[in-house]
Amino acid sequence: MNIIEPLQIAIEELSKLPTIGRKTAQRLALYILKSDKDSVANLIKAVTDLKEKIKFCSVCFNLSVDDTCEVCKSPKRDKSIICVVEEASDVIAIESTNEYKGLYHVLGGVLSPLSGKGVESLKIAELVLRVNEPDVKEIVLALNPDTEGETTSLYLTRRLKPLNKRITRLPTGLPLGGDLEFTDHATVGRAILNRIEL
Amino acid sequence: MILNNIELTNFRLHINTVLNFSDKLNYIVGGNGQGKTTILEAIYYLCTTKNLNQSPDSEALTFNESYFELTGKFKDLTEEKSRLVYSVETNKKTCFINEKQFYKASLIIGKFPVVTLTQSDHSITFGSPADRRKFIDSVISQSSETYLKILLDYNKTLRQRSSLLSLLKESREKSLFDEFDAWTETLIKTGAEIVKHRINFLNEFSEYVKNSFVKIMEGSESPEIEYYFLGDNKTDKVEENFRREIKNRRNDELIRATNLVGPHRDDFVFKISGFELRKYGSQGQHKTFQIALRFGEFFFLKDVLGKTPVFLMDDIFGELDTYRSQKISGYLREVGQAFITMTDFNNIESLHISEKDKIIKVEKGAVAYA
């Protein structure tokens, strides 16, 4: 196959993106090639701005334009409660519910020795410092309910327990508004095992 | 569930074979290397999309052909068609249920349950504890998706924890130990769930094995499956014992950098009338036990799933005396449909054959009804 070099390079770069295969990359590259100069410039600017304008909040490590993020700056937020999440994408998920009025703390991953993620590589020391502030009353652990997430929650609970703050976690089990009959068997099975007293 | 009909194309010796089965016993008879077991292999593929001997798909292909195709028609409440095509060019197989393609092999689990009795069952009674765990886990997993999920979680926890143990071998930092304790806690929680499932399962399953054993063995011998987790077989003590033992062996674990405590080191002890089979059992007793385990699995799954599994038996009469062979063929009446390969045509005279059974002769990949 003989593709001219600039096009080839563009295809290679695009196909490095997640969920983009070679064919899609080729289609995207050709589409960009056909677009007018202005829209290409806009695209380039949007991409570079991502890298240049967005940084991590110095308090909670959420995505932010300024040194501290919108959530941390807002006077409307309840400063006594901190919700601990894995990634910034989880903040977006919780924010879109409009049910949570407290602050966040983005760990930047979970404990996973296999992929080289330990306590040092996560923002755990920073979390402990924040929780130590007298204003903070409650910590909500909102990590994914998989093996690594659960273990990280266990670890954090042990680390934070001596600080004498209320520690809560999101419950797992049946989805709200879902049908029991359509929920996958493994989830229903676990929900039965972990049933709660009323 | 009944398998009415299969079609094999370019599948080992079978260039094009169409077979209609009896809903009772199907005896598949022929010499060595004529393509008897291949028919069982094809049925297994259609039920699970996997190879019976876990060998690569390409090996099941007729020499110099570019694809093989298998089709099976099952009758449950309605007719269900399973089809599988393997192509050399892509080295991939495509699977269909009722001509609808599906991509995840897990979707077929529980749809066409299958129980096999083959020579490799030898390892269940003769082999290592890992072989026994594999057998027990596969039976529980077929009846409970939750168990399968917990098992996968547990195995992941083991890998994470062992990777952390090797880190601890190099550096003994305080923070690493805290992390280690958290993984230990996860190990205990998921591990305890596994043990509880195994205890409950064996309480039930032992009865099935006992019943089957009595059916194929005249006399007073009675089988047992013994399972102790850290010296205990009560579900309410599991977590407590686990926690204590893992605390006791903590130093050992750190020195050897291995997970030393947990259900991944379980063993199940098979006994006949109180004697440990692995130490004192004769070849015949081993074989009988293996057969009783598979019959037990069949009736257990039938009750739990509410669906009759397909029963495949590969050349089991070869090693048994006439008396026991008769017993088994008599017991097979209770199974309903089963597929049985045999090398010796004369042997068949001594079995209980009824008019509804079918005898299929296989020679060099060609089939004929006898």
Side-chain angles (χ1 to χ4, degrees), chain B residues 189-205:
Chain B
K189 284 204 169 134
T190 34
E193 282 305 325
I194 289 177
V195 176
K196 285 184 206 165
H197 269 92
R198 286 179 179 172
I199 291 173
N200 289 333
F201 164 74
L202 283 170
N203 283 339
E204 213 179 324
F205 184 62

Side-chain angles (χ1 to χ4, degrees), chain A residues 111-115 117-120 146-148 150-151 154-155 158-159 184-190 193-194, chain B residues 145-146 149-150 153 156-157 159-161 163-164 167 173 175 178-179 181-183 185-186 189-190 193 197 243:
Chain A
L111 294 175
S112 171
L114 277 175
S115 31
K117 284 256 181 198
V119 175
E120 304 303 315
D146 54 14
T147 318
E148 287 77 12
E150 293 285 296
T151 306
L154 280 168
Y155 175 82
R158 284 178 178 216
R159 266 304 277 276
D184 74 283
H185 298 172
T187 305
V188 178
R190 280 233 168 154
L193 289 178
N194 302 324
Chain B
E145 274 178 53
T146 311
K149 176 82 178 40
I150 298 173
D153 278 355
K156 200 154 98 193
T157 310
R159 288 199 304 276
Q160 293 280 20
R161 195 166 176 272
S163 149
L164 195 57
L167 284 179
E173 264 175 65
S175 71
D178 292 342
E179 218 181 299
D181 289 341
W183 282 107
E185 193 58 36
T186 308
K189 284 204 169 134
T190 34
E193 282 305 325
H197 269 92
R243 207 173 288 277

Side-chain angles (χ1 to χ4, degrees), chain B residues 259-274:
Chain B
N259 294 299
L260 292 176
V261 191
H264 62 290
R265 299 178 80 95
D266 272 349
D267 196 6
F268 307 91
V269 181
F270 299 143
K271 287 186 169 176
I272 293 181
S273 303

Side-chain angles (χ1 to χ4, degrees), chain B residues 8-21:
Chain B
L8 290 68
T9 310
N10 298 335
F11 194 65
R12 293 195 195 267
L13 280 176
H14 295 268
I15 307 301
N16 193 313
T17 296
V18 181
L19 276 170
N20 293 311
F21 293 122

